Amino acid sequence: MIYILAVFLPPLGLLLNGQPFAALFNLVLLAVSVVLTVLTIFTLPVLMLLPSAHAVISIYMTRENRRHREIVEAIERHGPPPPGWRP
């Protein structure tokens, strides 16, 4: 659900994911993309995809970092897995 929001409303998706500075940067990126798209008389509409791509990639990376941190904390708390164990 957060990824759908990130595609259609990138700054809001980042803000709801707990990334206020990335949301602010994305808002500036969105404004620049809109201005450049309008100034080039809509010959570069691909610029409008940049804020959405930034939001999706940023949300994915943040979630992966959180997941990695949880695994590391679990290993530190409970010790390493037994020998020969595979996930």
Side-chain angles (χ1 to χ4, degrees):
M1 183 70 178
I2 192 81
Y3 290 109
I4 294 171
L5 189 62
V7 168
F8 293 112
L9 297 170
L12 185 61
L14 287 167
L15 196 58
L16 291 177
N17 195 43
Q19 299 174 291
F21 296 114
L24 184 63
F25 174 74
N26 197 284
L27 188 63
V28 170
L29 185 63
L30 183 63
V32 169
S33 297
V34 168
V35 168
L36 286 178
T37 301
V38 170
L39 286 178
T40 59
I41 310 170
F42 299 101
T43 56
L44 296 173
V46 73
L47 288 176
M48 297 303 293
L49 296 176
L50 289 178
S52 295
H54 169 258
V56 169
I57 291 169
S58 181
I59 288 172
Y60 175 78
M61 289 176 64
T62 301
R63 287 185 173 229
E64 284 298 312
N65 284 340
R66 287 178 189 159
R67 186 176 302 134
H68 177 72
R69 194 172 341 125
E70 288 173 1
I71 291 171
V72 168
E73 287 173 1
I75 290 172
E76 288 174 349
R77 194 175 3 182
H78 301 291
W85 183 80
R86 301 184 94 174

